[in-house]
Amino acid sequence: MTDYFHWFDLLGIAVFAVSGTLAAWRNHMDGFGVIVLATVTAIGGGTLRDLILDVPVIWMNNNSYFFAIFAAAGATILLVRNRLTIPNNTLQIADAIGLAFFVIMGTQKALDHGTSTMVAIMLGTMSGVCGGMIRDVLCREIPMVFRGELYAFTCIFGGAVYTSLLALHIAPIYAMLSGMTSLLLLRLAAIKWQLTIPVFGRNSQELNEP
């Protein structure tokens, strides 16, 4: 299973790097901006998770993560430079795929270090959303997790599916794939049909009051 974890981790890193690169392209950033956004999106959540768990940060002694980031960013740059337009929801789809990998991997890492199931799901969710939050803040946008669409809920749902299947003694690889798939499908459904949770704010009548 260790090999599966490593490759899933690298895939998540690469997909989130694509997400960060697309955000940099959309905001007309230079090459340095591309690298910064790709990197913080890819490793921001995992770094925070590892600091909370008080374990060595995942990328400190493994250059393969940076190779994955640079390769994904370079491939994305080549793609967008050869296309006149990129669909508006491409960034959201890339982000959703990254979530599917990172949330489950983050949940498993927390379990490996002795946390409770609930804490593991919370740390898995943090692994998935925090890199994107940093990316959006650097782009001066409201982070996706705060925009009303089902986002953090999908992470919690995927983590819950994964840990529930583990508790039922399902083989870890199948539990992992099921958790990733359920998270991804729910997130894609939220993007397609704009599934939302209630947004806190004042209505028009309140806005007109003195």
Side-chain angles (χ1 to χ4, degrees):
M1 285 298 296
T2 302
D3 287 340
Y4 287 119
F5 291 156
H6 179 66
W7 286 109
F8 280 142
D9 241 359
L10 287 180
L11 285 170
I13 288 282
V15 176
F16 265 148
V18 170
S19 171
T21 304
L22 289 173
W25 172 80
R26 190 178 64 182
N27 286 275
H28 308 290
M29 295 186 180
D30 62 15
F32 181 72
V34 169
I35 295 301
V36 169
L37 277 195
T39 302
V40 299
T41 307
I43 64 175
T47 300
L48 184 57
R49 175 202 63 214
D50 290 347
L51 291 174
I52 292 174
L53 288 172
D54 195 24
V55 299
V57 176
I58 190 171
W59 47 266
M60 288 292 291
N61 298 306
N62 194 334
N63 290 333
S64 62
Y65 292 101
F66 291 104
F67 294 147
I69 291 170
F70 299 149
T76 305
I77 290 170
L78 290 176
L79 176 64
V80 297
R81 285 177 64 89
N82 287 285
R83 294 195 57 174
L84 295 178
T85 60
I86 297 293
N88 291 331
N89 62 356
T90 301
L91 174 58
Q92 289 183 310
I93 293 172
D95 188 83
I97 297 171
L99 282 180
F101 286 115
F102 257 40
V103 169
I104 304 305
M105 298 310 301
T107 301
Q108 180 57 50
K109 185 164 187 177
L111 291 173
D112 287 342
H113 286 84
T115 69
S116 67
T117 298
M118 182 176 295
V119 170
I121 294 172
M122 291 172 60
L123 288 176
T125 299
M126 184 181 299
S127 299
V129 305
C130 286
M133 289 177 65
I134 299 171
R135 174 200 65 211
D136 293 342
V137 168
L138 290 176
C139 291
R140 295 187 294 180
E141 298 175 352
I142 297 174
M144 287 186 185
V145 69
F146 299 141
R147 296 182 195 171
E149 277 189 12
L150 293 183
Y151 192 88
F153 177 81
T154 65
C155 301
I156 296 169
F157 178 74
V161 169
Y162 175 56
T163 54
S164 296
L165 292 177
L166 288 180
L168 294 172
H169 304 293
I170 302 298
I173 185 62
Y174 296 123
M176 185 178 296
L177 292 173
S178 297
M180 290 177 180
T181 301
S182 61
L183 190 163
L184 179 59
L185 291 178
L186 183 58
R187 179 64 188 133
L188 291 178
I191 294 170
K192 180 174 178 59
W193 290 296
Q194 298 183 335
L195 305 178
T196 64
I197 57 177
V199 176
F200 178 75
R202 295 186 295 174
N203 58 37
S204 58
Q205 182 177 352
E206 291 174 320
L207 290 174
N208 292 327
E209 291 178 356

mmCIF file of all heavy atoms in Angstrom, residues 7-30:
data_model
loop_
_atom_site.group_PDB
_atom_site.id
_atom_site.type_symbol
_atom_site.label_atom_id
_atom_site.label_comp_id
_atom_site.label_asym_id
_atom_site.label_seq_id
_atom_site.Cartn_x
_atom_site.Cartn_y
_atom_site.Cartn_z
ATOM 1 N N TRP A 7 2.115 7.250 -4.980
ATOM 2 C CA TRP A 7 1.674 7.649 -6.313
ATOM 3 C C TRP A 7 0.402 8.479 -6.274
ATOM 4 O O TRP A 7 0.242 9.434 -7.043
ATOM 5 C CB TRP A 7 1.501 6.425 -7.206
ATOM 6 C CG TRP A 7 2.814 5.865 -7.636
ATOM 7 C CD1 TRP A 7 3.396 4.698 -7.233
ATOM 8 C CD2 TRP A 7 3.749 6.481 -8.532
ATOM 9 N NE1 TRP A 7 4.629 4.543 -7.817
ATOM 10 C CE2 TRP A 7 4.875 5.614 -8.624
ATOM 11 C CE3 TRP A 7 3.762 7.664 -9.261
ATOM 12 C CZ2 TRP A 7 5.978 5.898 -9.421
ATOM 13 C CZ3 TRP A 7 4.860 7.943 -10.053
ATOM 14 C CH2 TRP A 7 5.949 7.078 -10.130
ATOM 15 N N PHE A 8 -0.513 8.155 -5.368
ATOM 16 C CA PHE A 8 -1.714 8.979 -5.222
ATOM 17 C C PHE A 8 -1.336 10.372 -4.731
ATOM 18 O O PHE A 8 -1.923 11.377 -5.143
ATOM 19 C CB PHE A 8 -2.708 8.336 -4.249
ATOM 20 C CG PHE A 8 -3.527 7.237 -4.858
ATOM 21 C CD1 PHE A 8 -3.839 6.100 -4.137
ATOM 22 C CD2 PHE A 8 -4.000 7.338 -6.157
ATOM 23 C CE1 PHE A 8 -4.603 5.084 -4.688
ATOM 24 C CE2 PHE A 8 -4.765 6.335 -6.726
ATOM 25 C CZ PHE A 8 -5.067 5.205 -5.984
ATOM 26 N N ASP A 9 -0.358 10.434 -3.819
ATOM 27 C CA ASP A 9 0.120 11.729 -3.341
ATOM 28 C C ASP A 9 0.678 12.555 -4.496
ATOM 29 O O ASP A 9 0.377 13.752 -4.630
ATOM 30 C CB ASP A 9 1.212 11.511 -2.290
ATOM 31 C CG ASP A 9 0.841 12.086 -0.940
ATOM 32 O OD1 ASP A 9 -0.245 12.671 -0.826
ATOM 33 O OD2 ASP A 9 1.631 11.945 0.001
ATOM 34 N N LEU A 10 1.506 11.941 -5.331
ATOM 35 C CA LEU A 10 2.089 12.661 -6.456
ATOM 36 C C LEU A 10 1.021 13.104 -7.454
ATOM 37 O O LEU A 10 1.102 14.209 -8.012
ATOM 38 C CB LEU A 10 3.131 11.787 -7.160
ATOM 39 C CG LEU A 10 4.455 11.580 -6.431
ATOM 40 C CD1 LEU A 10 5.380 10.683 -7.252
ATOM 41 C CD2 LEU A 10 5.137 12.916 -6.146
ATOM 42 N N LEU A 11 0.021 12.273 -7.687
ATOM 43 C CA LEU A 11 -1.064 12.654 -8.586
ATOM 44 C C LEU A 11 -1.829 13.846 -8.026
ATOM 45 O O LEU A 11 -2.179 14.783 -8.757
ATOM 46 C CB LEU A 11 -2.006 11.468 -8.806
ATOM 47 C CG LEU A 11 -1.488 10.365 -9.728
ATOM 48 C CD1 LEU A 11 -2.410 9.148 -9.671
ATOM 49 C CD2 LEU A 11 -1.373 10.879 -11.163
ATOM 50 N N GLY A 12 -2.099 13.817 -6.726
ATOM 51 C CA GLY A 12 -2.782 14.951 -6.108
ATOM 52 C C GLY A 12 -1.963 16.222 -6.213
ATOM 53 O O GLY A 12 -2.494 17.302 -6.520
ATOM 54 N N ILE A 13 -0.662 16.114 -5.954
ATOM 55 C CA ILE A 13 0.242 17.255 -6.083
ATOM 56 C C ILE A 13 0.181 17.823 -7.497
ATOM 57 O O ILE A 13 0.058 19.034 -7.712
ATOM 58 C CB ILE A 13 1.685 16.826 -5.743
ATOM 59 C CG1 ILE A 13 1.847 16.573 -4.244
ATOM 60 C CG2 ILE A 13 2.693 17.850 -6.247
ATOM 61 C CD1 ILE A 13 1.984 17.797 -3.403
ATOM 62 N N ALA A 14 0.275 16.931 -8.498
ATOM 63 C CA ALA A 14 0.291 17.374 -9.891
ATOM 64 C C ALA A 14 -1.010 18.060 -10.278
ATOM 65 O O ALA A 14 -1.000 19.116 -10.928
ATOM 66 C CB ALA A 14 0.552 16.180 -10.813
ATOM 67 N N VAL A 15 -2.137 17.487 -9.880
ATOM 68 C CA VAL A 15 -3.430 18.074 -10.252
ATOM 69 C C VAL A 15 -3.630 19.424 -9.583
ATOM 70 O O VAL A 15 -4.123 20.382 -10.204
ATOM 71 C CB VAL A 15 -4.585 17.116 -9.909
ATOM 72 C CG1 VAL A 15 -5.924 17.769 -10.203
ATOM 73 C CG2 VAL A 15 -4.455 15.820 -10.699
ATOM 74 N N PHE A 16 -3.255 19.547 -8.313
ATOM 75 C CA PHE A 16 -3.374 20.842 -7.654
ATOM 76 C C PHE A 16 -2.411 21.865 -8.263
ATOM 77 O O PHE A 16 -2.712 23.058 -8.298
ATOM 78 C CB PHE A 16 -3.126 20.713 -6.155
ATOM 79 C CG PHE A 16 -4.389 20.550 -5.357
ATOM 80 C CD1 PHE A 16 -4.395 19.805 -4.191
ATOM 81 C CD2 PHE A 16 -5.566 21.149 -5.751
ATOM 82 C CE1 PHE A 16 -5.550 19.657 -3.442
ATOM 83 C CE2 PHE A 16 -6.730 21.014 -5.024
ATOM 84 C CZ PHE A 16 -6.719 20.268 -3.862
ATOM 85 N N ALA A 17 -1.252 21.409 -8.734
ATOM 86 C CA ALA A 17 -0.337 22.320 -9.419
ATOM 87 C C ALA A 17 -0.970 22.833 -10.706
ATOM 88 O O ALA A 17 -0.821 24.009 -11.065
ATOM 89 C CB ALA A 17 0.993 21.617 -9.717
ATOM 90 N N VAL A 18 -1.691 21.962 -11.412
ATOM 91 C CA VAL A 18 -2.439 22.389 -12.598
ATOM 92 C C VAL A 18 -3.460 23.453 -12.215
ATOM 93 O O VAL A 18 -3.606 24.489 -12.885
ATOM 94 C CB VAL A 18 -3.142 21.193 -13.259
ATOM 95 C CG1 VAL A 18 -4.114 21.670 -14.346
ATOM 96 C CG2 VAL A 18 -2.118 20.232 -13.851
ATOM 97 N N SER A 19 -4.162 23.222 -11.114
ATOM 98 C CA SER A 19 -5.157 24.181 -10.642
ATOM 99 C C SER A 19 -4.525 25.534 -10.350
ATOM 100 O O SER A 19 -5.053 26.584 -10.739
ATOM 101 C CB SER A 19 -5.839 23.618 -9.382
ATOM 102 O OG SER A 19 -6.651 24.575 -8.758
ATOM 103 N N GLY A 20 -3.374 25.532 -9.667
ATOM 104 C CA GLY A 20 -2.693 26.787 -9.363
ATOM 105 C C GLY A 20 -2.200 27.489 -10.613
ATOM 106 O O GLY A 20 -2.274 28.719 -10.721
ATOM 107 N N THR A 21 -1.712 26.712 -11.577
ATOM 108 C CA THR A 21 -1.235 27.298 -12.837
ATOM 109 C C THR A 21 -2.386 27.939 -13.609
ATOM 110 O O THR A 21 -2.240 29.031 -14.175
ATOM 111 C CB THR A 21 -0.561 26.218 -13.699
ATOM 112 O OG1 THR A 21 0.489 25.607 -12.953
ATOM 113 C CG2 THR A 21 0.005 26.826 -14.977
ATOM 114 N N LEU A 22 -3.532 27.278 -13.646
ATOM 115 C CA LEU A 22 -4.702 27.848 -14.326
ATOM 116 C C LEU A 22 -5.150 29.138 -13.658
ATOM 117 O O LEU A 22 -5.556 30.090 -14.332
ATOM 118 C CB LEU A 22 -5.843 26.830 -14.338
ATOM 119 C CG LEU A 22 -5.662 25.612 -15.249
ATOM 120 C CD1 LEU A 22 -6.791 24.612 -15.034
ATOM 121 C CD2 LEU A 22 -5.606 26.045 -16.711
ATOM 122 N N ALA A 23 -5.073 29.169 -12.325
ATOM 123 C CA ALA A 23 -5.450 30.397 -11.616
ATOM 124 C C ALA A 23 -4.484 31.527 -11.954
ATOM 125 O O ALA A 23 -4.894 32.679 -12.147
ATOM 126 C CB ALA A 23 -5.464 30.142 -10.107
ATOM 127 N N ALA A 24 -3.189 31.213 -12.054
ATOM 128 C CA ALA A 24 -2.204 32.232 -12.425
ATOM 129 C C ALA A 24 -2.442 32.728 -13.846
ATOM 130 O O ALA A 24 -2.345 33.932 -14.122
ATOM 131 C CB ALA A 24 -0.789 31.652 -12.293
ATOM 132 N N TRP A 25 -2.763 31.806 -14.746
ATOM 133 C CA TRP A 25 -3.047 32.186 -16.135
ATOM 134 C C TRP A 25 -4.285 33.078 -16.210
ATOM 135 O O TRP A 25 -4.283 34.095 -16.907
ATOM 136 C CB TRP A 25 -3.260 30.926 -16.968
ATOM 137 C CG TRP A 25 -3.751 31.188 -18.362
ATOM 138 C CD1 TRP A 25 -3.027 31.578 -19.447
ATOM 139 C CD2 TRP A 25 -5.105 31.081 -18.827
ATOM 140 N NE1 TRP A 25 -3.831 31.720 -20.547
ATOM 141 C CE2 TRP A 25 -5.118 31.420 -20.197
ATOM 142 C CE3 TRP A 25 -6.305 30.725 -18.211
ATOM 143 C CZ2 TRP A 25 -6.289 31.410 -20.950
ATOM 144 C CZ3 TRP A 25 -7.474 30.715 -18.957
ATOM 145 C CH2 TRP A 25 -7.451 31.056 -20.318
ATOM 146 N N ARG A 26 -5.299 32.727 -15.468
ATOM 147 C CA ARG A 26 -6.534 33.509 -15.493
ATOM 148 C C ARG A 26 -6.319 34.917 -14.946
ATOM 149 O O ARG A 26 -6.994 35.860 -15.351
ATOM 150 C CB ARG A 26 -7.609 32.786 -14.669
ATOM 151 C CG ARG A 26 -9.007 33.376 -14.799
ATOM 152 C CD ARG A 26 -10.006 32.563 -13.996
ATOM 153 N NE ARG A 26 -9.712 32.609 -12.573
ATOM 154 C CZ ARG A 26 -10.414 31.956 -11.652
ATOM 155 N NH1 ARG A 26 -11.416 31.171 -12.028
ATOM 156 N NH2 ARG A 26 -10.113 32.046 -10.379
ATOM 157 N N ASN A 27 -5.355 35.061 -14.033
ATOM 158 C CA ASN A 27 -5.089 36.373 -13.431
ATOM 159 C C ASN A 27 -3.889 37.073 -14.062
ATOM 160 O O ASN A 27 -3.382 38.046 -13.508
ATOM 161 C CB ASN A 27 -4.862 36.196 -11.923
ATOM 162 C CG ASN A 27 -6.143 35.923 -11.175
ATOM 163 O OD1 ASN A 27 -6.862 36.847 -10.796
ATOM 164 N ND2 ASN A 27 -6.453 34.651 -10.946
ATOM 165 N N HIS A 28 -3.427 36.570 -15.225
ATOM 166 C CA HIS A 28 -2.378 37.221 -16.009
ATOM 167 C C HIS A 28 -1.088 37.430 -15.208
ATOM 168 O O HIS A 28 -0.488 38.509 -15.234
ATOM 169 C CB HIS A 28 -2.877 38.569 -16.542
ATOM 170 C CG HIS A 28 -4.191 38.480 -17.261
ATOM 171 N ND1 HIS A 28 -4.337 37.859 -18.490
ATOM 172 C CD2 HIS A 28 -5.441 38.901 -16.905
ATOM 173 C CE1 HIS A 28 -5.604 37.925 -18.858
ATOM 174 N NE2 HIS A 28 -6.294 38.539 -17.931
ATOM 175 N N MET A 29 -0.658 36.392 -14.488
ATOM 176 C CA MET A 29 0.577 36.480 -13.706
ATOM 177 C C MET A 29 1.785 36.099 -14.558
ATOM 178 O O MET A 29 1.652 35.423 -15.585
ATOM 179 C CB MET A 29 0.480 35.579 -12.481
ATOM 180 C CG MET A 29 -0.573 35.998 -11.481
ATOM 181 S SD MET A 29 -0.512 34.997 -9.970
ATOM 182 C CE MET A 29 -1.858 35.759 -9.047
ATOM 183 N N ASP A 30 2.953 36.520 -14.097
ATOM 184 C CA ASP A 30 4.181 36.173 -14.805
ATOM 185 C C ASP A 30 4.647 34.777 -14.397
ATOM 186 O O ASP A 30 3.982 34.075 -13.624
ATOM 187 C CB ASP A 30 5.261 37.225 -14.553
ATOM 188 C CG ASP A 30 5.655 37.340 -13.074
ATOM 189 O OD1 ASP A 30 5.301 36.431 -12.288
ATOM 190 O OD2 ASP A 30 6.313 38.323 -12.717
#
